[in-house]
Amino acid sequence: MIKDDDVFRIGKIGKAHALKGELQMQVDDDVFDRVGADYVVLRIDGILVPFFIEACRFRSDETALMKFCDIDTADQARRLTGCEVFFPRALAEADEHDLTYAELAGYTVKLADGKKTVGVIRHVDDTTENILFELDNGLLIPAPDEFIDEIDQEAHIIIMSLPHGLLEL
């Protein structure tokens, strides 16, 4: 069974494209530029399900046309519309590269003094110049480089020095 900690979000399935089961996928991460993969994972009714890639071609940096094995009709493809798309964390971590923001989902944020766990990153909002970590407890934490002291990739922990009073807002 695939768990949330085993994957990170890279996009969302858009509409069906053509009649033979091809789908548009909105991509938020450049993982396909760095790592090859035979499959991606979709969240369907709350369950993470692997889908093997038959063909994939990019129309732009943010849009790919994806054809999955055994999805052969437009009707089958339409059933996947709106599903979130995830990438296997183990494949991305096997490649030596700098972490992307999307890969930080699932990491635990701790304060530099080591005494307090702030929360677990559920999503990274990088749609503006001011990056925000959205935590499992509802907190939004600004994440400029100067706040991040250390990233432990093995333990999936981020050590941060946050301005005094930020967590009390």
Side-chain angles (χ1 to χ4, degrees), residues 113-124:
D113 64 11
K115 297 178 184 173
K116 183 172 183 178
T117 297
V118 181
V120 176
I121 299 171
R122 287 294 158 224
H123 177 70
V124 179

Side-chain angles (χ1 to χ4, degrees), residues 35 66 92 100 158 166:
V35 182
M66 187 75 67
T100 64
I158 298 175
L166 180 72

Side-chain angles (χ1 to χ4, degrees), residues 94-152:
D95 179 53
E96 293 294 324
H97 70 282
D98 291 330
L99 284 172
T100 64
Y101 285 117
E103 289 176 85
L104 296 177
Y107 277 54
T108 299
V109 176
K110 292 187 175 193
L111 295 182
D113 64 11
K115 297 178 184 173
K116 183 172 183 178
T117 297
V118 181
V120 176
I121 299 171
R122 287 294 158 224
H123 177 70
V124 179
D125 182 350
D126 62 349
T127 57
T128 67
E129 193 172 318
N130 299 313
I131 307 301
L132 293 172
F133 292 156
E134 297 176 15
L135 304 182
D136 60 342
N137 56 17
L139 288 175
L140 295 174
I141 303 291
D145 289 342
E146 57 266 18
F147 288 4
I148 299 173
D149 296 333
E150 179 184 345
I151 299 176
D152 182 340

Side-chain angles (χ1 to χ4, degrees), residues 13-24 42 44 51 66-68 70-83:
I13 298 293
K15 62 183 179 177
H17 180 82
L19 300 175
K20 301 212 190 268
E22 201 170 45
L23 295 154
Q24 273 190 5
L42 304 184
I44 300 175
F51 280 80
M66 187 75 67
K67 171 71 174 80
F68 295 125
D70 300 322
I71 303 296
D72 298 317
T73 67
D75 189 47
Q76 289 174 319
R78 274 192 288 279
R79 292 183 196 141
L80 301 176
T81 298
C83 289

